[in-house]
Amino acid sequence: MAYPIFNMMNEWFIERRGLALGVICASTGITGLFIPFVLNFLLHKYGPANTLRISALALLLLCGPCLPLLKPRLPNSHVDTVPAADYSFLKMPLFYCFALAQLLQGLGFYLPTFYLPSYAISMGLSGTMGAFLLVIASFSQVLGQMAFGCVSDMRIKRLWIDGRVPVHILLFVSTFMSGISILALWGPARSQGMLIAFATVYGMSAGGFAVLWARMSTTLSPSPSLALTTFSYFACTKGIGTVVAGPVSSALISRSPAADRAAYADGKFEGIVLYSGACMLASAAVMVAWGLVGRKVMSGAALRKEEEEEEEEGGCRRAV
């Protein structure tokens, strides 16, 4: 259901596309405010198998009636010939910078929220408190995604030529704040308050990355037809990172020492904290490299191309 919705969003929203995507992504965070408690109750009462069946039935009953309400803004085309797909963005270095940053972010994105309840329990907190930390992270994610969506649509002409905040700066803020919160708040956490602070900061910063897919797409090409294609590539790279993160995290946990409350990240979770924090900071470093080097290289190439075109045009005029 996600990709048809994204495609319709690109048709309905132009100037406020980032905010629209932020609202869509934030809706997942809203469900996270109560889903952990519901799943915790269902798992304890009915077990994993029946909980999955109940979840599938709930999705069918809640999402099914909404499908007839999803309509595109543009009418269906009656042209028989289908236009060839445009993959020109695959020749752009910026696309591969985006893909690499997304891959690195995906390698560490889900691990903090996945292991946060277990971390809380290892500190002596209750399972309910672990679920409550996920609720805080989900609520913070809602606020962060709305904020990143709004900022990505803002126009500040005094600071930038086109008025918009460059997307690589927003991506850097998201990943850098995520990495710092993991290493500086989650790792040394010794109290419930520090875990709440981490869940708040991480939820607000990390959740904003996916909201920026709309700006990443328009930065590569203003054509709306490419939006869904680039979205699928970004989702693919994030999915690869998420799949790889599973066995990596299992290996880190299996090789970790016994829990020690005096050690960094409770000892047992040190590998997870360092790994996920390093992935986030590496993703931020990719955006820094693009800002310092990539944009200058691209600007120089564009300038040389423009000069060559002017020389060719001048030669044609002289020949005439």
Side-chain angles (χ1 to χ4, degrees), residues 68-88:
L69 303 177
L70 300 176
K71 297 180 180 180
R73 182 179 66 88
L74 302 177
N76 294 328
S77 176
H78 297 287
V79 180
D80 295 333
T81 59
V82 179
D86 184 6
Y87 294 102
S88 58

Side-chain angles (χ1 to χ4, degrees), residues 225-290:
S225 61
L226 288 181
L228 195 60
T229 304
T230 53
F231 271 38
S232 64
Y233 277 88
F234 295 148
C236 178
T237 52
K238 182 173 183 177
I240 293 173
T242 303
V243 171
V244 173
V248 171
S249 62
S250 298
L252 292 173
I253 286 292
S254 63
R255 297 178 182 179
S256 61
D260 182 5
R261 295 187 182 181
Y264 181 80
D266 203 37
K268 180 180 179 181
F269 298 91
E270 181 178 2
I272 296 294
V273 171
L274 295 177
Y275 166 78
S276 54
C279 288
M280 290 295 180
L281 294 181
S283 180
V286 173
M287 291 297 98
V288 172
W290 172 257

Side-chain angles (χ1 to χ4, degrees), residues 6-235:
F6 287 151
N7 190 37
M8 295 176 190
M9 181 202 71
N10 290 325
E11 294 182 0
W12 284 100
F13 299 92
I14 303 298
E15 288 296 321
R16 299 296 181 184
R17 186 175 295 170
L19 177 60
L21 183 57
V23 172
I24 293 175
C25 294
S27 62
T28 60
I30 293 175
T31 58
L33 298 178
F34 58 88
I35 286 296
F37 296 105
V38 174
L39 291 179
N40 191 36
F41 169 78
L42 293 175
L43 287 171
H44 282 85
K45 188 170 184 178
Y46 299 107
N50 289 327
T51 298
L52 287 174
R53 297 187 181 98
I54 294 172
S55 300
L57 181 61
L59 286 174
L60 177 63
L61 296 177
L62 294 175
C63 298
C66 298
L67 295 180
L69 303 177
L70 300 176
K71 297 180 180 180
R73 182 179 66 88
L74 302 177
N76 294 328
S77 176
H78 297 287
V79 180
D80 295 333
T81 59
V82 179
D86 184 6
Y87 294 102
S88 58
F89 65 90
L90 293 176
K91 301 178 181 178
M92 302 174 63
L94 178 57
F95 167 75
Y96 295 97
C97 287
F98 283 161
L100 178 59
Q102 180 63 89
L103 175 64
L104 293 170
Q105 198 260 0
L107 285 170
F109 175 70
Y110 289 105
L111 298 185
T113 52
F114 184 80
Y115 285 100
L116 189 56
S118 300
Y119 189 93
I121 293 174
S122 71
M123 288 180 55
L125 302 178
S126 64
T128 303
M129 186 60 204
F132 181 67
L133 290 172
L134 293 182
V135 170
I136 295 175
S138 297
F139 179 74
S140 302
Q141 178 179 323
V142 171
L143 299 179
Q145 289 175 331
M146 295 286 287
F148 273 94
C150 289
V151 173
S152 68
D153 290 330
M154 290 175 58
R155 292 186 180 274
I156 310 175
K157 295 183 179 180
R158 295 181 179 180
L159 298 179
W160 291 280
I161 297 177
D162 62 350
R164 294 181 184 270
V165 182
V167 68
H168 72 276
I169 294 180
L170 297 176
L171 292 170
F172 168 79
V173 171
S174 173
T175 50
F176 181 76
M177 291 301 298
S178 300
I180 293 300
S181 66
I182 292 172
L183 298 176
L185 293 177
W186 186 22
R190 297 291 182 273
S191 64
Q192 175 179 307
M194 287 194 68
L195 289 180
I196 292 175
F198 163 70
T200 302
V201 176
Y202 183 78
M204 292 188 67
S205 56
F209 196 99
V211 175
L212 300 174
W213 285 5
R215 278 291 309 281
M216 294 160 68
S217 175
T218 55
T219 302
L220 292 171
S221 173
S223 174
S225 61
L226 288 181
L228 195 60
T229 304
T230 53
F231 271 38
S232 64
Y233 277 88
F234 295 148

